[in-house]
Amino acid sequence: MSGLFGEKTTRARSVVAEFLTRPAALACLPAVSLAVYWMGGDSALITVAAIMPLIYLLTFGPGGINTDQATALQHGLTDTALFDTLVAERFKEAREGALSSAIFKIEIDEGTEFPDRLGHAATETIVARVGERIFAALREGDLVAKTGDYKFTACLKPVRQLDLELCIQLAGRLQAALEEPISIDGTSVYLTSSVGFCQHSHVINQSSMAWLDAARTALREAQAHGPNAIRAYSNEMKRRSETRAELRQEVANALEAGHIRPWFQPQISTDTGLVTGFEALARWEHPDRGMISPADFLPAIEQSDMLERLAEVMMYHAFAALRAWDEAGVSVPQIGVNFAGPELKNPRLIDKVRWELDRFDLTPERLAVEVLETVVARAPDDIITRNINGLGQLGCRIDLDDFGTGHASIASIRRFSVSRIKIDRSFVMKADRDPDQQRMISAILTMAERLGVETLAEGVETVGEHALLAQLGCDHVQGFGIAKPMPFEETQDWIIRHNAKLQDMPRILGNRTG
Ligand code: C2E
Ligand code: CA
Ligand code: CA
C-alpha cells in the first residue's frame, strides 16, 4: 500500500517537475505573478510568492525529484522510477484495446570505454545528447527513460498498426539519429548503437516485466552481433539465450573439473628445423560431446568472468609440461600462453606469473606471453600497459599475436618491448603462389628486422609456404604443415620423431648430391 502511495507521489512530483522545468514555465513566472497581482491585489501576490518556493521544495527537495531526474525530464525523458509502472499501463492498454506497441532498448556501443577515452564530463554530455536525440526521433506519447549508464528504453504509445517492418524502420531511424557526430569542445565524437526490440504481441508470458525482459534479450543478441546491429525478439532467441546460460554454467564446471586443458602446437626454426617452442591452446574434452574448440567456449568463459581462471589453468599445465620436457631431456626452449584483454587487466597478473614460474622453478624467458595485436593497438588503459611492460621487465617474452590484423603502430611495438611478431595466417595462406601475399610478408619481415624483433608465421599448412617463408627470412613457423595441436602425452614422441627426421635430412640430401 505504502509502495503504491509512494509511487503516486513520485508520479505527481514528476508531472509537476516536468512542467516546472520547461523553459516556458520559467519564462512565464514573472507574467503569472503580475496577473495574480492585477486580479487579486497584494494578498494574492504574497500568497503566490510564499507558495511557489514551497512547490519547488516539495518537488525537488528531499525525497523528491533529484537533479538527474530533473535534467532527464527537461529533455523529455520519463522518470526511470516510474517507467516500469507506465510500461505496465501501456501493456494493459494495448492488450485490452487490441492495439500494438513495442519496447526498444538502445545502448551506445563500447560506452564503457568513453570515460577512459574522453573523460567523465564529455561522457555525460554525450549520454545526455543521445537521450535527447532518441526522444526527438520518437512521436509524442512515446515514453523514453534512461535505464543504464549508456542505455535507454523506449515504449511506444499503443497504436492500431505497428508491424515488424515499421519497428525495424524505427530502430534504423534511432541508430541514424545517434550516428550524427556529437560536438564536444570543438571535436566531433562518432558513435554507434545496438538496438533490440520486442513487439508487445510477441510476449508469451503475459506480463509487462516479461515484455521488458524480452527486449533486453533482443538487445543482448544485437550486441553479440554488433556493433551497430538491430535485433527483433523471437522465441527462438529466448531458447538460444537459455542454452547460452546453460553453456556458461557447464563451462565453469568443466574448468573446475579439469576438463579444459591445453593442447600443444610446435613452433620450429626455419634455419635449423629444431623445435623452438610450443603454443598452449585451450581444449575442452567434453565427456559426451568430444573435443570442443576455443571458438565455441571462450565467449561463455568470458561472459562468466572466468578468463582469469582459464589463464591460471593454462599456465599451470604449460609450466608442468615444460618441467616434464626438461626432465625427459627433450629441448623445448619456451611455451606460448594466450592472454586475453580482460586477463591483462588483472592487477595481480605479474605477481601471479612470477609465483607460478617459481613454483615450477622456471626462468621467466621460458614463457612467451601471447597478446593480440588488437589489444596493443587500442591504446589500452594504464593497467594493460603496466602489465605487459611488467611481464617484459620480469624477463618474459612478448609475442604479438595475429599481427597484421590489428593496426598496432610501430611506436606500440617498441613501447611494449615486443620480442616477436606472429604474422597472421591470412598473410601466409597461399603465399607461395600469390605475389601480393609475398610482398606483404616481405614488408612485415623488413619492418621486424629494422625494429630488431623476431618473426613467426602462423598457419603454415604446406611445404611450399614453409619453404617460401624460410627463403624470405622469417625466423619461425607454426601450423598444420608442421603439426596440429596435440595433447601433452603425444608431444614427446612427436619431438623424437621430428628430431630423427632432421638427422636423416642431410644424409638424404647427401645421398642425392653424392
Ligand atoms: P590463436 O592464438 O591465433 O591460435 C592459433 C589458432 O590457429 C589455433 O586455433 C590453432 O589450432 C589454429 N591453427 C594452427 N595452425 C593452423 C593451420 O595451419 N591452419 C589453420 N587453419 N589453423 C591453424 P584454436 O586452437 O582453435 O584457437 C583459436 C583461438 O582461440 C586462438 O587463436 C586464441 O586466440 C584463442 N585461444 C586458444 N586458447 C586460448 C587460451 O588458453 N586463452 C585465451 N585467452 N585464448 C585462447
Ligand atoms: Ca596465439
Ligand atoms: Ca594467432
Side-chain angles (χ1 to χ4, degrees), residues 265 279-283 293-294 298 307 310 314 338-340 370 401-402 425 458-461 478-481 485:
Q265 187 177 33
E279 177 175 4
L281 293 157
R283 293 289 179 273
S293 70
L298 278 178
L307 276 174
L310 174 72
M314 294 297 287
N338 292 283
F339 285 84
E370 295 207 5
D401 206 353
D402 294 1
R425 190 171 90 86
E458 292 191 283
V460 177
E461 292 188 352
Q478 175 185 349
F480 295 170

Side-chain angles (χ1 to χ4, degrees), residues 283-296:
R283 293 289 179 273
W284 180 0
E285 295 165 18
H286 196 284
D288 310 319
R289 282 187 271 154
M291 185 63 62
I292 305 178
S293 70
D296 296 323

Side-chain angles (χ1 to χ4, degrees), residues 197-442:
F197 67 86
C198 175
Q199 292 169 270
H200 120 281
S201 53
H202 282 56
V203 193
I204 321 170
N205 173 358
Q206 295 282 305
S207 80
S208 61
M209 279 301 156
W211 191 18
L212 281 160
D213 254 356
R216 204 169 293 128
T217 304
L219 174 63
R220 245 183 270 129
E221 189 82 12
Q223 287 168 326
H225 293 87
N228 210 11
I230 296 172
R231 284 295 180 279
Y233 175 79
S234 69
N235 293 328
E236 171 58 24
M237 201 178 270
K238 183 169 166 59
R239 267 192 298 280
R240 272 206 304 272
S241 111
E242 282 165 359
T243 317
R244 270 200 301 269
E246 280 164 23
L247 180 70
R248 280 200 295 276
Q249 188 53 49
E250 212 187 338
V251 89
N253 294 344
L255 200 52
E256 287 319 311
H259 295 163
I260 296 179
R261 56 176 196 141
W263 279 30
F264 300 90
Q265 187 177 33
Q267 302 164 331
I268 63 172
S269 155
T270 51
D271 194 14
T272 62
L274 289 169
V275 173
T276 50
F278 274 87
E279 177 175 4
L281 293 157
R283 293 289 179 273
W284 180 0
E285 295 165 18
H286 196 284
D288 310 319
R289 282 187 271 154
M291 185 63 62
I292 305 178
S293 70
D296 296 323
F297 67 82
L298 278 178
I301 291 204
E302 180 163 10
Q303 282 157 21
S304 341
D305 281 332
M306 295 203 63
L307 276 174
E308 190 179 335
R309 182 77 190 116
L310 174 72
E312 227 167 66
V313 168
M314 294 297 287
M315 225 168 13
Y316 175 86
H317 287 291
F319 293 171
L322 273 181
R323 272 246 67 94
W325 290 319
D326 286 357
E327 276 156 26
V330 291
S331 165
V332 178
Q334 65 176 48
I335 189 118
V337 177
N338 292 283
F339 285 84
E343 170 58 3
L344 290 168
K345 286 189 180 169
N346 179 359
R348 290 168 297 128
L349 181 67
I350 300 172
D351 285 339
K352 211 162 71 182
V353 170
R354 190 188 291 124
W355 192 84
E356 286 288 345
L357 285 165
D358 275 354
R359 157 145 80 148
F360 286 95
D361 200 16
L362 294 165
T363 47
E365 79 279 1
R366 305 288 301 275
L367 171 66
V369 175
E370 295 207 5
V371 185
L372 286 176
E373 191 198 14
T374 42
V375 171
V376 168
R378 249 190 265 138
D381 50 18
D382 287 351
I383 180 78
I384 293 191
T385 311
R386 253 183 286 136
N387 268 339
I388 300 178
N389 282 336
L391 289 169
Q393 275 154 18
L394 184 65
C396 299
R397 302 178 52 85
I398 309 293
D399 273 6
L400 203 51
D401 206 353
D402 294 1
F403 186 82
T405 61
H407 314 288
S409 64
I410 289 177
S412 61
I413 295 177
R414 296 202 144 232
R415 187 152 55 102
F416 290 105
S417 51
V418 167
S419 353
R420 179 164 72 173
I421 56 180
K422 297 188 76 177
I423 303 169
D424 190 65
R425 190 171 90 86
S426 54
F427 297 98
V428 174
M429 270 162 69
K430 312 240 172 355
D432 50 333
R433 283 179 276 152
D434 184 341
D436 279 346
Q437 294 283 74
Q438 285 166 25
R439 272 194 289 276
M440 289 300 290
I441 296 174
S442 296

